[in-house]
Amino acid sequence: LLGVLSLRRPQWRRGLSWWYAVQLGLLTFYVANFICNFPQGAGQPDHTGLFVLEASSAWLGIICTTALAANWSLCVRHYRAWQRRHSVFTLSAPRPTRIVPLELPM
């Protein structure tokens, strides 16, 4: 948001710290949705769990998207290395198949 307001693209540092941020986001998502109980707050009395799920899902999505955007060049480099290791390319003509007609007994 600050990058949009300042009309510049923010320069994010890439690296392993983003992986830790995503893991922390996953942990907080789990704790907020499955361990904690929120009897009061937005959506009370029956829909606080839904509100917490929506808010924590949006937060986790923002963290994952930011981590992916910051490390996009590393992701592309990793994908291309995987592609080189696992790709096999051969040119060959298809083998001709020989069709043998069946003889029907009469």
Side-chain angles (χ1 to χ4, degrees):
L1 183 62
L2 292 175
V4 173
L5 293 176
S6 67
L7 300 175
R8 292 187 327 187
R9 184 172 181 211
Q11 296 297 318
W12 299 98
R13 290 186 183 185
R14 60 183 179 183
L16 194 58
S17 59
W18 286 104
W19 175 244
Y20 296 135
V22 169
Q23 287 182 342
L24 183 63
L26 284 168
L27 178 66
T28 56
F29 177 85
Y30 176 75
V31 168
N33 289 296
F34 297 111
I35 295 177
C36 292
N37 186 16
F38 300 98
Q40 296 179 351
Q44 68 176 348
D46 298 329
H47 300 293
T48 56
L50 181 63
F51 183 77
V52 170
L53 177 67
E54 291 172 352
S56 61
S57 296
W59 178 249
L60 182 61
I62 289 170
I63 290 173
C64 291
T65 303
T66 306
L68 187 63
N71 291 307
W72 185 251
S73 62
L74 294 175
C75 294
V76 169
R77 186 170 54 185
H78 179 73
Y79 170 73
R80 292 208 174 126
W82 175 87
Q83 194 176 29
R84 280 191 301 272
R85 279 193 310 265
H86 292 90
S87 65
V88 175
F89 182 74
T90 59
L91 288 176
S92 63
R95 294 182 180 166
T97 57
R98 186 174 151 193
I99 300 174
V100 178
L102 295 174
E103 294 184 19
L104 297 175
M106 293 217 177

